[in-house]
Amino acid sequence: MTDDPSWMLELVGKPYAEMNCWDLWLHVCERRGMRIPESIFGWRRLLRKVPQGEAMRTYDAVLIREPELGIVHHIGVAYDAENFLHSAKEFGGVVLDRVSRYAVKLRVIARPINDS
């Protein structure tokens, strides 16, 4: 398992068609030697919610929820305490973005269980 996140910056610019948000999450899990869930719904067994007020850490999952529907529809990976990588069609693929841009949408930070 690697602790230096700089390798993730190599993923920035990867086209959405090659790496959507779930593919990005799976790639990071694989690279870090984590057990990979068989589907997007498997994240619940792999992650635990970070308590409100606790700082986001590198490799935490950033789950973005659609407020009207109340469901998680997007996942990214924390790069540091303020930024995360995610892949979206609207950006054309993988980008490094500020978590604060998504404050309007209810977001959940979750930490891989083996990173507790």
Side-chain angles (χ1 to χ4, degrees), residues 29-98:
C29 287
E30 234 172 46
R31 176 80 184 252
R32 297 189 69 227
M34 294 171 58
R35 186 175 71 37
I36 301 170
E38 64 281 354
S39 75
I40 195 164
F41 302 105
W43 69 267
R44 292 176 191 259
R45 291 190 311 269
L46 186 67
L47 304 170
R48 70 168 176 80
K49 187 175 176 181
V50 172
Q52 184 107 7
E54 190 174 322
M56 183 170 76
R57 294 192 322 213
T58 301
Y59 301 119
D60 282 351
V62 178
L63 304 164
I64 299 176
R65 207 182 288 194
E66 184 57 51
E68 294 83 34
L69 300 175
I71 60 169
V72 170
H73 68 95
H74 191 56
I75 188 168
V77 182
Y79 183 74
D80 56 28
E82 298 175 356
N83 302 290
F84 76 118
L85 272 82
H86 65 120
S87 183
K89 271 187 191 175
E90 66 189 271
F91 299 124
V94 179
V95 294
L96 182 64
D97 208 346
R98 295 190 66 73

